[in-house]
Every structure is written in C-alpha cells, then in structure tokens.
Amino acid sequence: MSRVVLVTASADLTERVRYATGGGFLALPHGPMPSDPAAFFQLLGGAPAPEVVLLDPGQAHDQALALAAGFDRQCPGITVILVSDLGADIVLPAMRAGIRDILPPTSDPSEIRVVLDRALMTAQARVPGAAAAASGAEHVLLPTGRVVSVASPKGGVGKTTVSTNVAVGLAQAAPRSTVLVDLDVQFGDVASALNLNPEYTLPDMVHGPASRDTMALKTFLSLHETGLYVVSGPETPAAADAVTGEDVTRLLQMLATEFRFVVLDTAPGMSEHTLAALDLTTDLLLVTSMDVPGVRGLRKELDTLTELGMFTDSRHIILNFTDPSGGLTVADVEATIGTSIDLALPRSPLVVQSVNQGIPLLQSQGKDPMTRGLRQLVERLAPNLSSPPAEGATRRDRARHRRERSGAR
Ligand SMILES: Nc1ncnc2c1ncn2[C@@H]1O[C@H](COP(=O)(O)OP(=O)(O)OP(=O)(O)O)[C@@H](O)[C@H]1O
Ligand SMILES: [Mg+2]
C-alpha cells in the first residue's frame, strides 16, 4: 500500500519525493486541488487510504487549508504536510487546519525524507492497528455497532418520522455515535426531513472508493447539526437501480464497524434492500398506523418475519396515529396482532410542522406527548446513554455513562 500521497503540479517536486521515498508514494493526477476529502478519495480510485498526504497547493493556499481541515475533521488518521514558502505567515492558519508540518518547496530529498518519516510515525501512533496494517499483519475490524431498523408493511405510517427522531435522539445523547441511512432507495425523504442538502448520496457510497475503504466512506457522509451522520437516498428513483441488496449488506457492515448505532429508514414492504437490512438488524422497530388495513398488514409481516426466522430479541412494536375517535382501541390492535404494543404515539399536528421545517421534534425541548413518546423510544433503545446515572450510582456507573456519552466503545 502507498502510505504517502503527493498532490502537486510540480514535476520537479515529484522527482524529489520519488527520490526521498524510493518510489513508495502515489502522485494524484495533476488537476485542480480536490475540494474535500471525498473528492480526494475519488481521485485515488480504488487505492487504500494513505497515512500521509503531502499537499503542494501552488498559489491555492486557501483550498489546501480547507482540504486539510476536512481531513482533520473526517479522517484524523491521515497526517497532512503542507508544501509552502509563506514561512511564518502560514504557520497559524496551518495549525488551525490540523496540518502537521510545513515543508519549503525547495527542500531536498533528505529534508523531505525526515519530514515524511516524522509524519508516518505520527500517523501510526494516531490510528490503532495502523502499525500492524503497515507491516502487513492482518487487521480485520468486526462490526460491533447496533443496527436499528424501522420497518412497516404499509406506507405513510410514520417510519421516517420515527427513524429521523430516534437517530437525532441517539446522536444528541452520544455525539458522532450514530449514522442514519435512507434505505427507501426510490422515494426516501430523510434528507428533506433533516433539512440537509447532501453532496453525496447512497449510490456514491456503494460504488467507487467509499465502498472499499471505511475511512473514505466516512468522508462521503453528511453531518447534521446535531452530530448525526447521514446517508441520504438518491436524488432520482432511477438512480436507485444501481443499488443492490449486496451493496446494502456491505455498506451496513462497514458502517457498523465505525458507529455505535446504525439507524435505518426503509421503504414499505419487503424490498431486497429491506431484507438485506433485516438480516443484519439487531433492534427492529415495527410501525403501524391505528387503522384496520395497517394493523392487518402488521399481523402478516409478523408472521412472515417469524417464518423467515428474521426476528431479533430486541423488537419494538409502535402504534402511531393513536386517536380515540377512530373506533379502535389499543386492546383491539393487540388482539389482532397477537402481541402487545410497546409504544403508542399520538396523532399530533406538531409532526407535520416539524417535517415541513426539516427540524425533527427531538431537536427541540418539547414536552408534548408525541415528543415525550419519541424520547421514551430512544431511552428504550439506549437506556445508559440518555438518562444520567441515578442518585446513589457507583463511581464505576458514572464513569461508564461518561464513556458511553463520549462515544467510546
Ligand atoms: N403521529 C403523527 N401525527 C401526525 N402526523 C404524523 C404522525 N406521524 C407521521 N405523521 C405524518 O404522516 C406522514 C407520513 O409519515 P412518514 O413519512 O413518517 O411515514 P413513512 O412510513 O415514512 O411513509 P413512507 O412509507 O411513504 O415512507 C407525514 O406527513 C408525517 O408528517
Ligand atoms: Mg418514509
């Protein structure tokens, strides 16, 4: 693997880096400086993520600083060196962008060698397991995150409402711990429910560099203001054709190695994408509306899941749009589906308001019954995250709570 990638327009610098590394580096094809880490990984093609990036921006210092800041935020395992002759003027902005070292453009191969060696040592110290990977030892990350799927046989019952709120609630309790994936691949509306305008969407993440390297994948995710990462659905239904069930399986396995919670919004019914997701699901949230067709549909889905052996131990049945004036009671619903309801959410005008604004209810401090219900659901899924340890909790309980909130695994 090439541990060093050089970004430059200078043939002369490329030659000196070749000499300094004995050829053990990769030069990006000459062109404009990539605008962000995802664009950088696209130029890398299928090559694995480097440990050190040597950035020679020419006159484009601002772009180089923006790119370095992107690496610092999204891929802290990559060490960036800036090639610049601005001397003291660039030191402070470079430091703020997370740049590790500055190399004058006229440096000879031995100076380049020293700076690269120092950067490679830093990179190895930063990423657990990097040293093993660099030495060729096998280093396999196993998925450890929980996969929380929100599903229903019928459309319009509240899956997107539930999934976006649960994901925001988990992200607020433990920032950067959670990713929400829009698996309603044709008509997904997660981005709109979160008021996001994503640069990259699902098809970009299941093909190309993001599909082969978890570090590259992270740079394609959108970051919501609550600290939630998001994989949005494609812009057109036709683009969904390029996403297969196997693509979904691989994507979810990669995300589950990186995040504590992978929350999935799904399309109604059992598409190949939903089946792929159900196969990896650890916590299943089944949603139904409080009407006869919705409840009958759920009964059939429960039977089918049992037949397919796709039930998880952690299963939650959510009755949405509960309304006493509709003629059905919770007891009627439980009798039809043959099992108890875990959470009843009321019909509430606040939901439509929040969807239209693109601000999930759990982003507010609301105390209305719908917001409280959604908060309860987050607590059911992750009791240790959302509520602080009770009075009388031991020091170890408090330490664990702090660790869990900080996202440490
Ligand atoms: N408890 C509720 N009270 C009032 N309106 C609600 C409630 N839950 C959801 N809605 C509204 O119902 C509509 C459908 O909700 P949502 O999009 O969450 O359902 P869905 O199951 O994801 O639909 P689809 O299957 O089409 O993806 C939305 O306009 C949403 O604002
Ligand atoms: Mg939906």
Side-chain angles (χ1 to χ4, degrees):
M1 118 168 148
S2 264
R3 297 158 66 200
V4 178
V5 168
L6 170 66
V7 184
T8 184
S10 157
D12 182 42
L13 178 64
T14 308
E15 260 328 288
R16 277 177 282 138
V17 173
R18 191 182 314 286
Y19 203 81
T21 57
F25 77 109
L26 194 76
L28 273 203
H30 172 45
M33 171 90 36
S35 55
D36 57 26
F40 169 88
F41 280 111
Q42 273 177 330
L43 289 175
L44 268 191
E51 288 169 45
V52 175
V53 175
L54 197 54
L55 275 185
D56 171 22
Q59 299 309 309
H61 274 88
D62 286 349
Q63 282 103 306
L65 291 176
L67 178 59
F71 280 123
D72 194 42
R73 255 192 330 271
Q74 298 176 301
C75 324
I78 293 182
T79 299
V80 179
I81 300 170
L82 184 69
V83 179
S84 170
D85 56 2
L86 293 185
D89 288 347
I90 196 75
V91 172
L92 197 58
M95 229 171 69
R96 291 198 177 119
I99 288 169
R100 184 76 196 176
D101 230 326
I102 299 173
L103 196 64
T106 50
S107 307
D108 63 34
S110 61
E111 288 164 326
I112 296 174
R113 175 84 248 164
V114 169
V115 170
L116 281 180
D117 278 347
R118 199 160 54 212
L120 284 165
M121 272 166 62
T122 311
Q124 284 180 21
R126 276 186 187 181
V127 185
S135 67
E138 204 164 319
H139 178 68
V140 182
L141 278 177
L142 293 174
T144 51
R146 277 162 63 186
V147 178
V148 180
S149 295
V150 183
S152 76
K154 300 267 177 199
V157 298
K159 293 181 296 300
T160 303
T161 305
V162 167
S163 59
T164 48
N165 277 286
V166 160
V168 159
L170 290 169
Q172 283 174 327
R176 314 219 165 187
S177 64
T178 305
V179 60
L180 171 63
V181 185
D182 195 343
L183 281 186
D184 187 348
V185 292
Q186 280 196 306
F187 297 106
D189 45 8
V190 160
S192 141
L194 293 170
N195 200 15
L196 283 173
N197 197 1
E199 197 163 337
Y200 303 101
T201 63
L202 182 66
D204 301 312
M205 298 181 218
V206 297
H207 305 122
S211 65
R212 293 185 284 268
D213 187 307
T214 314
M215 200 188 295
L217 172 61
K218 274 188 94 173
T219 68
F220 282 71
L221 306 175
S222 312
L223 184 57
H224 186 247
E225 61 198 87
T226 53
L228 170 69
Y229 284 95
V230 180
V231 176
S232 301
E235 278 191 17
T236 61
D241 291 349
V243 182
T244 65
E246 290 91 69
D247 291 337
V248 169
T249 302
R250 198 175 51 246
L251 173 72
L252 299 184
Q253 282 170 334
M254 286 170 79
L255 290 173
T257 61
E258 279 293 311
F259 291 93
R260 301 190 60 203
F261 300 100
V262 183
V263 180
L264 309 178
D265 188 22
T266 64
M270 291 204 179
S271 66
E272 64 166 323
H273 306 111
T274 301
L275 285 171
L278 288 174
D279 237 358
L280 295 172
T281 295
T282 57
D283 302 74
L284 179 59
L285 309 187
L286 282 170
V287 188
T288 178
S289 51
M290 199 172 185
D291 50 47
V292 170
V295 174
R296 288 213 175 118
L298 182 65
R299 162 86 257 170
K300 286 188 206 153
E301 175 136 351
L302 286 168
D303 290 344
T304 310
L305 288 173
T306 310
E307 273 168 33
L308 294 175
M310 276 183 156
F311 257 132
T312 57
D313 290 341
S314 174
R315 179 196 72 180
H316 312 262
I317 297 187
I318 300 163
L319 185 59
N320 192 16
F321 294 104
T322 54
D323 186 349
S325 64
L328 278 183
T329 63
V330 171
D332 293 334
V333 175
E334 290 180 332
T336 307
I337 61 174
T339 182
S340 56
I341 297 295
D342 296 295
L343 180 72
L345 295 171
R347 179 183 291 280
S348 159
L350 294 177
V351 177
V352 179
Q353 232 177 61
S354 97
V355 167
N356 289 343
Q357 290 172 343
I359 305 175
L361 286 171
L362 286 197
Q363 238 178 296
S364 70
Q365 300 305 313
K367 301 264 188 295
D368 60 282
M370 181 69 184
T371 309
R372 268 193 284 132
L374 290 165
R375 208 163 272 131
Q376 267 174 33
L377 186 54
V378 174
E379 270 160 34
R380 273 180 82 97
L381 287 167
N384 294 332
L385 276 189
S386 22
S387 47
E391 280 296 304
T394 63
R395 205 148 32 136
R396 199 188 298 168
D397 289 339
R398 289 181 200 287
R400 192 183 57 218
H401 180 70
R402 271 198 305 276
R403 258 198 328 273
E404 290 186 335
R405 279 187 66 95
S406 74
R409 296 218 300 241

